[in-house]
Amino acid sequence: MPDQRDRPILVLLTSHWISMLGVALVTLAGFTWLFLLPEHIRGHVDDPYIGVLVFIAIPILFFLGLALIPVGVMLAKRKVAAHLASIPDRPAAWRRAGLFFGIMTLVNVVIGSQVSYRAVEHMETVQFCGQSCHVMKPEFTAHQAPPHEQVACVGCHVAPGASGWAKSKMAGTRQLMAVLFNAYPRPIESAMESNRLVSATETCEQCHARDRVVGPRLRIITHYKDDEANTRTTTVLMMIAGGRKYGGIHGAHLGQGVQIRYAASDKKRQEIPWVEYRNTDTGETRTYLAAGTQPESARSLPVFEMQCVDCHNRPAHAFDQPDRAVDNAIAMGHIPSRLPWIKKTAVTLIKADYKTEEEAAHGIPAGLSAFYREKYPEVSAKRAPDIQAAGDALVAIYKRNIFPDLKVTWGSYPNNLGHADYPGCFRCHDDNHATADKKTITQDCGGCHQSLAIEETSPEILKTLGVADKIESFERQ
Ligand code: HEC
Ligand code: HEC
Ligand code: HEC
Ligand code: HEC
Ligand code: HEC
């Protein structure tokens, strides 16, 4: 048994309980790291909470331990000095100590850089952002649908570079505190509402160049009427999105020299009393005021410059209105289209008030079965599996859009692209915003889309294009 007095290392590490705690933490974290080395190499674990433990908690313990060791030594300065003075062969002992500290520092640098690298990397994953914390469930769920399911949350929520990173970590810490103290709003505010939107130049435009032209797009939109036969109607629109140098919708707002600014009187930016068009190339300027707005009252409102997310505000987290969700499910064959009154009944059932997800998962299919049992006993008997399938599809719609514990319900997050479900484009294009000389922001239908068919039951254009029966073929009878 070597005498402790011969070993400065032991003197240093054991002189105070804080140093000993530090040694214990470093050792514990180091061994856990070794034990979990395979996960670190893969950079991924399947469970979000284990992920936080492995990639965030272990590095914290590791560095905390390293920091505690010198703190303990400092606190026991006198005791340490006395011990060290009594070592017989000091130079040899110090050489051994130096070697030990040298090797340990090297090992710690390797482990430390690895754990911190993985910690930073882990904080960029969709799993960390979307699943570690239940308040993100609506956004995480919506993000799993195209087109951006492959784009990480940080791609749109964190500006590139070190300052963007630091800002997001600060905001993240604030949000964590709000969750820990249960002091967050329900539903949580949209990024626009809380004014924490990262500019589209630093997010969207990193992947979608402003200069790019978007060719004409044919939009085929299917609805079903609230009648016994669930009559299908189709709208066919030709959208001209265009581009910076190519006119169209994009060119009109983001074209060469164009700058559109607006003032909003509510936080969700649904009420826009003041709009200014300015072209820095031609020097044109036009100021539009909503009818009944006094210029002075508009001046005190916050002003924003129009960018991608003023129209595409839900590119990754679009929530449907009940009507549209049911229409899409029928069109895609998830809900049989020939069940009498299925459209109307389905919408009524998913719009009803349920206290919890479980209550909805039970109440929706039960309500549907009861409807057919009472009103259509024959259908109920013959098509029980179809009614069951429709019930399941409705529960899936509910779980995709409604989150009762977070008070996210139909319409909580308006989508500004379009004008059918929310004001959207018509926040400005309502023929009601005018300049002093009575020029308005156009509401002319053809100004934004060629309407090839509007809610027609059998549009000629689909036959001309040769796609009429292909669209029907997705449906289930
Ligand atoms: C393609 C870009 C994009 C991606 C990817 C993305 N978001 Fe968003 N997110 C947005 C935009 C834009 C808003 C602002 C919406 C608004 O103000 O209406 C937003 C809003 C939010 C909000 C505020 C609440 C709300 O619904 O408006 C949360 C929370 C959120 N996102 C979390 C996430 C999480 C978690 C992920 C990853 C799973 C993610 N986002 C991925 C673009 C994105
Ligand atoms: C990291 C890169 C990336 C970022 C950031 C990003 N996108 Fe995308 N986006 C894509 C890709 C890739 C696709 C194509 C997906 C596909 O075709 O399946 C896409 C698709 C789209 C589409 C649909 C195109 C279509 O064909 O349906 C729109 C609209 C869009 N993005 C808008 C935005 C907006 C608005 C933002 C910012 C809030 C944004 N994107 C941020 C990569 C990105
Ligand atoms: C004034 C509103 C508005 C603004 C601002 C706007 N867009 Fe669009 N964008 C649209 C509309 C409308 C469409 C056509 C959507 C459709 O096909 O139904 C579109 C189409 C697109 C598409 C192609 C979608 C497809 O179906 O192929 C992409 C990608 C896109 N926009 C990205 C962007 C980006 C990036 C920005 C910012 C640089 C931007 N948009 C700014 C309204 C806007
Ligand atoms: C914040 C207000 C605002 C919103 C929201 C808005 N626009 Fe505009 N839009 C304008 C202004 C301002 C102009 C230019 C008017 C002028 O020339 O003075 C314009 C012009 C246009 C034009 C060119 C019209 C023409 O006759 O030259 C099109 C097309 C257009 N917008 C489409 C859209 C679409 C599609 C949406 C919704 C996705 C939309 N806008 C949303 C403010 C808005
Ligand atoms: C400022 C631009 C703009 C104007 C003006 C405009 N629309 Fe639209 N409209 C849009 C956009 C954008 C969409 C959404 C397309 C999509 O879903 O991708 C849309 C969608 C629609 C739809 C499909 C709605 C659905 O069921 O999903 C119909 C129908 C429609 N417009 C009719 C009209 C009619 C009629 C007028 C004239 C009173 C008109 N629009 C004027 C931009 C405009």
Side-chain angles (χ1 to χ4, degrees), residues 20 137 153 212 229 362 397 408:
M20 290 197 273
K137 192 173 166 203
C153 319
R212 206 189 116 226
H362 173 77
I397 291 175
V408 172

Short mmCIF file of all heavy atoms in Angstrom, two decimals, residues 20 137 153 212 229 362 397 408:
data_model
loop_
_atom_site.label_atom_id
_atom_site.label_comp_id
_atom_site.label_asym_id
_atom_site.label_seq_id
_atom_site.Cartn_x
_atom_site.Cartn_y
_atom_site.Cartn_z
N MET A 20 -13.35 15.39 -4.93
CA MET A 20 -13.70 13.97 -5.04
C MET A 20 -14.99 13.80 -5.84
O MET A 20 -15.11 12.90 -6.68
CB MET A 20 -13.82 13.34 -3.66
CG MET A 20 -12.45 13.23 -2.99
SD MET A 20 -12.46 12.10 -1.61
CE MET A 20 -12.95 13.16 -0.29
N LYS A 137 -45.30 18.91 -30.10
CA LYS A 137 -45.95 17.79 -30.78
C LYS A 137 -46.74 18.22 -32.03
O LYS A 137 -46.63 17.56 -33.07
CB LYS A 137 -46.85 17.04 -29.79
CG LYS A 137 -47.33 15.72 -30.35
CD LYS A 137 -48.06 14.91 -29.29
CE LYS A 137 -48.82 13.78 -29.94
NZ LYS A 137 -49.93 13.32 -29.13
N CYS A 153 -35.53 21.03 -38.49
CA CYS A 153 -36.18 22.20 -37.89
C CYS A 153 -35.25 23.42 -37.94
O CYS A 153 -35.69 24.53 -38.23
CB CYS A 153 -36.55 21.94 -36.43
SG CYS A 153 -37.23 20.30 -36.12
N ARG A 212 -35.16 31.99 -59.00
CA ARG A 212 -35.66 30.84 -59.73
C ARG A 212 -37.08 31.10 -60.23
O ARG A 212 -37.89 31.69 -59.53
CB ARG A 212 -35.67 29.62 -58.80
CG ARG A 212 -35.55 28.31 -59.56
CD ARG A 212 -35.79 27.14 -58.64
NE ARG A 212 -36.99 26.46 -59.07
CZ ARG A 212 -37.96 26.07 -58.27
NH1 ARG A 212 -37.90 26.30 -56.99
NH2 ARG A 212 -39.00 25.45 -58.76
N ALA A 229 -75.27 11.87 -51.62
CA ALA A 229 -74.35 11.17 -52.52
C ALA A 229 -72.90 11.65 -52.39
O ALA A 229 -72.02 11.13 -53.06
CB ALA A 229 -74.81 11.35 -53.96
N HIS A 362 -62.28 7.29 -29.32
CA HIS A 362 -63.41 6.42 -29.05
C HIS A 362 -64.70 6.99 -29.65
O HIS A 362 -65.46 6.30 -30.32
CB HIS A 362 -63.57 6.22 -27.54
CG HIS A 362 -64.81 5.47 -27.18
ND1 HIS A 362 -64.92 4.11 -27.33
CD2 HIS A 362 -66.01 5.93 -26.73
CE1 HIS A 362 -66.14 3.75 -26.98
NE2 HIS A 362 -66.82 4.81 -26.62
N ILE A 397 -57.18 11.88 -38.88
CA ILE A 397 -57.28 13.32 -39.19
C ILE A 397 -57.29 14.12 -37.90
O ILE A 397 -56.59 15.13 -37.75
CB ILE A 397 -58.56 13.62 -40.01
CG1 ILE A 397 -58.45 13.03 -41.41
CG2 ILE A 397 -58.82 15.12 -40.06
CD1 ILE A 397 -59.73 13.18 -42.23
N VAL A 408 -54.61 23.31 -29.27
CA VAL A 408 -54.52 23.52 -30.72
C VAL A 408 -55.75 22.88 -31.34
O VAL A 408 -55.98 21.69 -31.18
CB VAL A 408 -53.24 22.88 -31.30
CG1 VAL A 408 -53.24 22.93 -32.82
CG2 VAL A 408 -52.00 23.58 -30.76
#
